[in-house]
């Protein structure tokens, strides 16, 4: 599954098929959908960052994905990045691969995840993965509906 968010417009390609309605895609939000080009998003790859995030209570894959993306990028300081990319930081392209447990993919909202990245054109790819582990105890006050702890892994490829 491939998603792209650019200027608030979401594009989706699911297993080689263009999605025409919100019901056909993992993302449930009021956005426009169109085909994602199968051409490479990044022509010159500069670096790849990896991270993981968990939501121990509440079974929220969006929260886990936000944490995974922050984990991947937050300890890097690349002051010359804008100089390395023709067109500067705004021309930067990011491919964000999220490994999300399949039973929680329908609850994933990519807009808060996109906001983790302060600039650049972000394309998301969602795959089965991550992990569901036990949190040890249901705490209803924290939003738990079961003992699942949702864990998401990510790889952020950066280039232009």
């Amino acid at each position: 599954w491939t998603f792209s968010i650019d200027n608030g417009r979401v594009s989706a390609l699911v297993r080689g098929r263009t999605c025409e309605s919100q019901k056909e895609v993992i993302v449930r939000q009021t956005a426009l959908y169109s085909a994602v080009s199968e051409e490479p998003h990044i022509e010159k790859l500069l670096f790849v960052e990896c991270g993981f995030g968990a939501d121990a209570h509440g079974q929220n894959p969006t929260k886990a994905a936000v944490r995974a993306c922050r984990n991947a990028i937050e300890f890097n300081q690349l002051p010359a990045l804008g100089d390395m990319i023709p067109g500067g930081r705004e021309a930067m392209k990011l491919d964000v691969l999220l490994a999300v447990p399949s039973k929680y993919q329908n609850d994933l909202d990519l807009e808060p995840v996109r906001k983790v990245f302060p600039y650049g054109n972000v394309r998301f790819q969602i795959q089965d993965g991550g992990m569901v582990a036990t949190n040890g105890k249901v705490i209803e006050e924290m939003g738990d509906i079961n003992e699942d702890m949702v864990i998401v892994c990510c790889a952020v490829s950066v280039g232009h």
Side-chain angles (χ1 to χ4, degrees):
W1 301 5
T2 302
F3 299 90
S4 179
I5 301 179
D6 188 23
N7 295 326
R9 182 178 175 87
V10 177
S11 302
L13 182 69
V14 179
R15 294 189 175 110
R17 194 176 92 199
T18 301
C19 296
E20 298 296 336
S21 73
Q22 290 178 331
K23 291 180 183 179
E24 292 182 85
V25 295
I26 189 175
V27 181
R28 305 289 191 246
Q29 56 190 14
T30 57
L32 302 173
Y33 295 94
S34 65
V36 171
S37 171
E38 292 189 22
E39 295 177 17
H41 183 237
I42 295 176
E43 294 177 25
K44 180 153 179 81
L45 181 63
L46 299 174
F47 55 91
V48 179
E49 304 163 298
C50 297
F52 87 97
D55 183 33
H57 294 282
Q59 296 74 47
N60 187 330
T62 302
K63 187 182 290 187
V66 164
R67 290 175 175 166
C69 290
R70 282 187 186 150
N71 181 245
I73 70 168
E74 69 187 352
F75 297 108
N76 297 302
Q77 181 59 28
L78 302 167
L81 184 63
D83 298 331
M84 295 168 54
I85 297 173
R89 287 184 177 88
E90 295 306 318
M92 181 173 69
K93 294 180 179 178
L94 299 101
D95 275 340
V96 179
L97 175 61
L98 296 172
V100 181
S102 59
K103 73 186 259 185
Y104 289 103
Q105 289 179 4
N106 286 334
D107 299 323
L108 181 63
D109 180 359
L110 291 175
E111 187 57 30
V113 182
R114 185 197 59 76
K115 289 180 180 178
V116 169
F117 305 100
Y119 34 75
N121 180 317
V122 180
R123 182 175 75 172
F124 291 99
Q125 294 181 13
I126 312 302
Q127 71 179 31
D128 291 346
M131 181 186 298
V132 177
T134 183
N135 65 20
K137 182 176 182 171
V138 173
I139 303 176
E140 291 179 9
E141 301 83 51
M142 296 185 76
D144 281 340
I145 56 173
N146 58 41
E147 289 186 8
D148 288 354
M149 176 178 4
V150 179
I151 301 169
V152 173
C153 302
C154 81
V156 180
S157 298
V158 180
H160 58 89

